[in-house]
Amino acid sequence: MKVLITGATSGIGKQLALDYLKDGHEVFCCGRNNSSLQQLVEKFPESAFLHCFDVAELSECVGSLANISQLDQVILNAGTCEYINAKEFDAELFARVMKTNLIGVANCLQALIPKIKNEGSLALMGSSSSYLPLPRAEAYGASKAAIEYLARTLQISLSHINVSYIAPGFVETSLTEQNDFPMPMRVDVKFASKSIRTALNENKQEIHFPRKFTLILKAIALLPKRIQQILITKALAY
Ligand SMILES: NC(=O)c1ccc[n+]([C@@H]2O[C@H](COP(=O)([O-])OP(=O)(O)OC[C@H]3O[C@@H](n4cnc5c(N)ncnc54)[C@H](OP(=O)(O)O)[C@@H]3O)[C@@H](O)[C@H]2O)c1
């Protein structure tokens, strides 16, 4: 199988790339950190291919991906997280997060949708933060909620491929290292990679894990909004 993964230089994306490579697949590994991509190519010289570009720049994206032909699976995983202080709202921070997380996905979609084989698969990395409004996640959560909507519309428009939305809970990576609040039921990247690969194999449209955590969020999301806000405020009082 030919798999393309953005954000393959660290965290969840790197683990996915390693696991697909170990399973004998060809992997197109994307990111900005050239030396991290080189390490993957050195380990798997026959089957790992390096694509170094910034997803937020359309011309870089299209240029770097132009020579790739038919793909079986595309995982648009690259993303960033910065938190907002709502009382001193920083519009530039908001734009930065949106540009990488949302526009970055749109740029990759332009470059890659025509290359995905019939019956192939496309997965967009969201977050379980799209299920509920979380304080300080005004930028990150909004970007992921937009990705969830985007995935759901693509599920209707691209009937020739399987489109999945991925919503992890907390995963131990450099992205969550910065968090100064409790991260209940945090899992490691191996668990995240296994959960994603298994669900993609089964053509699941929504992939969320660890389920104990994500099902609690989903249950809270069914409650009246005022009660959701009280519960979230209480749970995150630290
Ligand atoms: N960790 C969690 O708890 C968690 C939970 C829910 C969702 N997620 C999502 O999972 C995805 C991966 O996150 P992670 O936790 O594995 O974090 P990570 O270790 O920081 O990895 C982020 C990846 O995205 C790439 N990236 C970031 N900005 C980019 C840009 N402008 N252009 C190209 N690549 C870019 C990075 O590569 P370079 O730096 O080389 O460019 C890196 O490979 C993100 O979309 C994140 O929102 C994570």
Side-chain angles (χ1 to χ4, degrees):
M1 191 164 71
K2 287 186 177 185
V3 184
L4 183 142
I5 303 169
T6 65
T9 58
S10 75
I12 302 169
K14 185 174 184 180
Q15 189 62 45
L16 281 167
L18 282 168
D19 290 339
Y20 278 117
L21 286 163
K22 280 183 201 151
D23 282 353
H25 301 291
E26 283 184 29
V27 182
F28 299 85
C29 307
C30 311
R32 291 167 303 179
N33 182 333
N34 201 46
S35 66
S36 178
L37 292 172
Q38 278 294 352
Q39 283 171 18
L40 285 171
V41 174
E42 276 161 28
K43 218 165 167 189
F44 299 91
E46 312 269 283
S47 49
F49 306 98
L50 173 165
H51 293 266
C52 194
F53 63 92
D54 184 339
V55 291
E57 300 302 327
L58 179 62
S59 57
E60 278 189 38
C61 222
V62 170
S64 179
L65 301 172
N67 293 332
I68 297 176
S69 57
Q70 298 271 285
L71 292 163
D72 298 283
Q73 194 160 288
V74 168
I75 305 176
L76 300 182
N77 157 78
T80 186
C81 180
E82 291 185 69
Y83 292 116
I84 290 258
N85 173 356
K87 287 185 181 147
E88 292 166 22
F89 201 95
D90 181 342
E92 283 179 0
L93 182 163
F94 192 89
R96 260 195 320 271
V97 172
M98 283 292 171
K99 195 158 184 217
T100 296
N101 289 4
L102 184 59
I103 306 304
V105 167
N107 291 342
C108 292
L109 289 176
Q110 177 174 322
L112 293 169
I113 285 175
K115 298 178 189 291
I116 303 173
K117 284 183 188 163
N118 278 349
E119 314 281 313
S121 83
L122 167 67
L124 307 191
M125 178 59 83
S127 160
S128 54
S129 65
S130 71
Y131 297 149
L132 283 177
L134 299 173
R136 296 199 284 156
E138 283 84 355
Y140 182 73
S143 73
K144 297 301 188 182
I147 291 174
E148 182 179 3
Y149 189 93
L150 177 57
R152 288 172 56 204
T153 52
L154 291 174
Q155 280 162 354
I156 298 168
S157 323
L158 301 177
S159 52
H160 65 297
I161 60 176
N162 186 71
V163 179
S164 306
Y165 175 67
I166 309 174
F170 293 111
V171 184
E172 261 175 68
T173 66
S174 56
L175 187 135
T176 46
E177 258 171 29
Q178 59 162 332
N179 291 350
D180 54 1
F181 49 82
M183 290 181 270
M185 299 181 220
R186 187 159 55 146
V187 297
D188 62 20
V189 285
K190 288 192 173 155
F191 181 95
S193 167
K194 180 122 184 54
S195 306
I196 293 169
R197 286 177 298 118
T198 305
L200 285 176
N201 254 344
E202 294 165 0
N203 284 341
K204 290 261 163 69
Q205 289 203 325
E206 186 183 359
I207 301 169
H208 59 97
F209 59 87
R211 289 183 84 80
K212 233 188 199 171
F213 178 72
T214 49
L215 289 174
I216 291 171
L217 296 193
K218 280 170 168 284
I220 297 174
L222 296 174
L223 299 171
K225 293 201 169 50
R226 190 55 84 187
I227 298 177
Q228 290 182 31
Q229 288 157 11
I230 294 167
L231 287 176
I232 292 162
T233 311
K234 270 199 179 155
L236 296 179
Y238 56 93

